[in-house]
Amino acid sequence: MGISREAVEQHYQIPSLKGRTTRFGLEEIRRLLLKLDPGKQLTTEYIARLLLGTTFTGDLDPPINVGIDLNEAKQFLELMLSDNYNDDFTISLVGFIFLGTVSSAVSGLHLVQTTAGHLGMASNSVRAGDKICCALGCTAPLLLRPLENGMFKVVGPCLIPDFTNGGVFLGPLPENIRPLHVYNEATDNYEPGFKDAFSGAITHEDPRLESLSLDPGYFDSFRERLDKNHWARIYVDPEILRERGVELKCFDLV
C-alpha cells in the first residue's frame, strides 16, 4: 500500500568516471544535466545533494568538516552549467573534490526525471514509464513496472530527495523546522533530529506527528522508545492517513 502520482519520464546513465581526466568527467556531468527539462524547477542545492550523495556540514549539529561545503558545491554547479564554462575553464580544488565525490557516490547509476519534474537516482534496471511508489513501511521510494495483467513488478528502490522525511504522507515540515543530524555522545554517532530555526531548540520527534489522530497510549509508548532510540519508528494506521486526504492505494505485485 502506498502513493504513486508520477512515473519516470527520462533517464540517463552516469558513466563510469574511473580513470578519466577531471575535465572529461565534469564535461560528462554537465552534458547530462543540460539534458534535463529546463521548465522544471530544479535548484543547484537539490542537484548538489543528489549528485554528491553526502551530508554537508550545515546538516550536522554540532557541525564538523565533512569535505565539500554545500555553498561551494552550489557555486561550482552554477558556474559549470553557465555559458562561461568552456575548454579554457580553470578547474578549482572544489571541482576536483566535486568530481571525486560524484564518481564514488553515483557513477554507473541513472539520473532520472519524473513526469512531475522531480530528479532522482535509480539503478540500471530503470525504464521510462516505471511508476514511483512511496510505500508504507519502506524507507525509500520503489520503482514499480506496470504489467499487461494490471499487476506491477518491483524493479527496486530509487532515491528522490523530494520524497524523503515523510513529506509524502505527513505533508511539509513547518517553515521554521528543518531536519538535521544531531550528535549523541552515548552512541558516538549523529542521529536524526529537527531544529527550530527561531528558538534553536532541537528535538528527535517529528513535529507533524502531533496532528495525527493517534491513540494517546500508543503515542506515549512511542515517545518512550524514541527517548532511548532516536531511530525509533512509529506505525500509523492507513485510515488515519486517509482521513488527512492521503490517497493510498494497493498495488498487486509479482
Side-chain angles (χ1 to χ4, degrees):
M1 182 179 292
I3 300 174
S4 179
R5 299 171 181 160
E6 52 201 90
V8 174
E9 184 173 52
Q10 54 187 347
H11 60 95
Y12 307 99
Q13 185 173 24
I14 299 176
S16 175
L17 302 174
K18 186 177 181 180
R20 301 287 190 171
T21 66
T22 301
R23 186 171 298 280
F24 174 87
L26 292 175
E27 288 175 350
E28 283 293 287
I29 295 173
R30 182 176 190 271
R31 180 179 61 83
L32 289 180
L33 294 177
L34 290 177
K35 287 184 176 181
L36 300 175
D37 187 344
K40 308 297 185 182
Q41 300 301 313
L42 297 175
T43 66
T44 52
E45 178 173 341
Y46 187 98
I47 295 173
R49 288 185 178 278
L50 179 66
L51 287 180
L52 296 173
T54 188
T55 299
F56 295 96
T57 299
D59 301 325
L60 303 174
D61 190 286
I64 58 174
N65 184 10
V66 290
I68 190 169
D69 177 77
L70 177 58
N71 288 328
E72 291 177 339
K74 288 165 55 179
Q75 291 171 6
F76 179 77
L77 264 174
E78 290 169 359
L79 185 58
M80 187 176 75
L81 296 175
S82 71
D83 294 335
N84 294 325
Y85 186 87
N86 52 46
D87 292 339
D88 297 326
F89 178 79
T90 301
I91 302 173
S92 64
L93 177 60
V94 173
F96 285 99
I97 298 175
F98 181 91
L99 181 65
T101 306
V102 170
S103 180
S104 62
V106 298
S107 183
L109 296 179
H110 279 238
L111 185 67
V112 303
Q113 191 164 36
T114 74
T115 50
H118 294 113
L119 196 64
M121 288 288 175
S123 69
N124 292 337
S125 302
V126 64
R127 294 181 189 171
D130 286 347
K131 299 288 186 181
I132 310 293
C133 177
C134 294
L136 291 174
C138 292
T139 57
L142 299 176
L143 290 175
L144 301 182
R145 184 162 299 154
L147 303 177
E148 293 182 357
N149 60 5
M151 301 182 75
F152 294 85
K153 175 184 177 181
V154 179
V155 178
C158 60
L159 170 64
I160 301 181
D162 277 340
F163 295 165
T164 60
N165 297 317
V168 173
F169 299 110
L170 300 177
L173 286 164
E175 291 186 2
N176 60 308
I177 301 294
R178 69 179 183 89
L180 77 171
H181 288 80
V182 185
Y183 181 70
N184 184 344
E185 289 187 6
T187 61
D188 191 27
N189 202 357
Y190 279 87
E191 300 174 345
F194 300 88
K195 185 172 184 177
D196 189 320
F198 297 153
S199 67
I202 294 177
T203 178
H204 294 282
E205 180 183 315
D206 191 321
R208 295 168 295 185
L209 294 178
E210 288 189 349
S211 64
L212 299 179
S213 302
L214 298 173
D215 176 78
Y218 174 71
F219 200 12
D220 289 342
S221 173
F222 163 72
R223 282 173 164 162
E224 291 178 2
R225 288 188 289 112
L226 189 63
D227 284 341
K228 300 175 182 177
N229 176 14
H230 298 150
W231 295 92
R233 302 177 67 183
I234 189 170
Y235 171 79
V236 179
D237 191 304
E239 291 306 316
I240 294 178
L241 296 176
R242 285 196 172 103
E243 290 174 2
R244 294 170 57 88
V246 179
E247 299 175 356
L248 293 172
K249 60 180 180 179
C250 295
F251 296 88
D252 292 326
L253 307 178
V254 295

